[in-house]
Amino acid sequence: LTPEEIKELKNVAGLKTEKEIEKMILGISALKIDKDLLLQESSIRKNDEDYYMSLSFRKKGDDYSRSIYVTVDAKTGEIKNLYNYEGYDYTDVEATNSQKTKAEKAMDSFVAKYAGEDYKLCVGDEAEYNSLTASKQYVRHENNIPVIGESLMITYDIKKDRIVNYSNNIDNKLIFESSEGVIGDKAFATLTKYAPIKMKHIKSNDEFVLCYTADDNQYVQIDAKTGEKFEPYAQIVHNAKYNDIEDHWCKEAVEKLGEVGIAFSGESFNPDTPITQEDVLRLFASGLKYNWFMQNSVDELYREMYNMGILTRNERNEKASVTREDAIVYMIRFAQLERVAKLSKIFAVDFKDKELISSDKLGHVAILYGMGIVGGDDTGVRPKDNMTRAEAAVILYKYLTIQ
């Protein structure tokens, strides 16, 4: 064996088995898992030196009305992402105080138990309530200073009394600068130069209140040690070349996108790897909106996605693989064509596997097919297959270059 092979064997020696992780998930009482919810699919992927196992649970022969998707660190068994779905009650009813107390306790208990040491790094925000769901964010702090983009997110269904969404975005390999030597007064003076304090009349009910505020037309950050204006994206170098696409069919599309700043960091593109929700959103948002979405923190990215209506908080599952039909839905939403796509009865497609396309996504697929952006191969459009990074890049490039 080569040294590289020996190293890889050592890396995988202690990985959790599928059965071990399945048993752990089914044993989580906070998920309220029915006995007839069975493991349907599982996969494992490598990210640098880490391994992640993804599992999906559904009732046998079910039409996805009840499903759980989970991604776990295969070395530690730590849950990274979890999506527990069985429809939502969007009745506009305000939660009672006792329901809110129960929701807070359920979320705190789940995060404390399943985030472990990561939870100890975090400070919880106040819960947000949307109809009969509660959501809460736990932000990582270093030296009592919040870390942008590093957080735990959780959603609880009040009516069904269970956790329905959870994501852990904490990276314990990050290196932080010491807080010694910060120059608060000088930094504040520089900050107010770029974003001066002003008085404004702010409407409250039927009257206006006079308030002080920073100039809300600028986004300003000041280096806490130099006092200079900090522009985090100014030194980003976009990569238009990768070491693993020379003979790949996606080469032209990937390199053309990279030339205009739509590129992932790193020397390898990994074209045949299933693309994650986070990466497909970054890719499409960078191509169809602004290319600085490639550098946003994950929480900033998702906040913008919620605001744009690309997905809801309950759909967030950033490390999960994305099916081809779901990626198509995202693109249609970015293109602001979903109102048309939802008129599914006016569309017809002739793919061999058209019966596998979800009925509420038929219009989305048909529009991109009609535009020449997606097409079926000998086996069909493969709507339930995971979309690869190469496929995502190519359909974006086709959309941007369509005549």
Side-chain angles (χ1 to χ4, degrees), residues 347-377:
F347 295 103
V349 294
D350 195 28
F351 300 126
K352 291 182 178 180
D353 57 354
K354 61 183 179 182
E355 70 281 356
L356 297 179
I357 303 173
S358 299
S359 59
D360 62 336
K361 298 171 184 175
L362 178 64
H364 303 74
V365 175
I367 289 175
L368 291 195
Y369 173 65
M371 297 171 72
I373 294 170
V374 299
D377 56 22

Side-chain angles (χ1 to χ4, degrees), residues 336-355:
Q336 298 183 326
L337 294 172
E338 188 164 49
R339 287 184 66 185
V340 178
K342 286 184 176 180
L343 303 174
S344 57
K345 292 183 180 180
I346 70 173
F347 295 103
V349 294
D350 195 28
F351 300 126
K352 291 182 178 180
D353 57 354
K354 61 183 179 182
E355 70 281 356

Side-chain angles (χ1 to χ4, degrees), residues 130-292:
N130 179 16
S131 185
L132 289 175
T133 64
S135 297
K136 194 170 182 179
Q137 181 181 40
Y138 304 78
V139 179
R140 179 176 182 173
H141 283 59
E142 287 289 327
N143 298 318
N144 296 320
I145 301 170
V147 183
I148 302 300
E150 293 282 301
S151 65
L152 304 164
M153 295 285 295
I154 190 167
T155 302
Y156 170 82
D157 188 312
I158 294 174
K159 187 173 183 179
K160 292 186 172 66
D161 184 27
R162 65 176 173 222
I163 303 300
V164 293
N165 207 352
Y166 169 75
S167 62
N168 182 341
N169 303 310
I170 305 297
D171 184 352
N172 287 305
K173 296 179 181 178
L174 296 179
I175 299 174
F176 292 92
E177 185 179 26
S178 168
S179 59
E180 293 183 7
V182 296
I183 48 171
D185 292 342
K186 181 181 177 182
F188 180 76
T190 308
L191 179 66
T192 53
K193 180 179 76 173
Y194 287 102
I197 301 298
K198 297 180 177 181
M199 282 196 295
K200 291 187 178 182
H201 287 96
I202 309 296
K203 188 173 184 179
S204 175
N205 297 321
D206 295 326
E207 62 181 5
F208 286 86
V209 178
L210 194 61
C211 298
Y212 282 107
T213 180
D215 187 339
D216 52 12
N217 295 319
Q218 298 188 56
Y219 179 67
V220 182
Q221 297 177 111
I222 303 300
D223 189 304
K225 293 190 176 181
T226 67
E228 301 298 322
K229 186 178 179 182
F230 179 59
E231 300 183 63
Y233 307 142
Q235 299 178 5
I236 295 293
V237 178
H238 296 292
N239 184 22
K241 301 289 184 182
Y242 294 97
N243 61 16
D244 56 354
I245 61 170
E246 185 60 34
D247 298 316
H248 201 280
W249 54 269
C250 72
K251 180 177 186 293
E252 178 185 7
V254 172
E255 291 188 346
K256 290 292 185 181
L257 291 173
E259 288 171 5
V260 293
I262 305 169
F264 297 108
S265 61
E267 297 180 354
S268 301
F269 184 72
N270 302 310
D272 298 316
T273 300
I275 195 164
T276 63
Q277 185 189 73
E278 176 189 342
D279 283 350
V280 79
L281 292 174
R282 287 191 187 280
L283 186 68
F284 290 174
S286 297
L288 302 174
K289 294 298 180 181
Y290 311 102
N291 67 9
W292 45 259

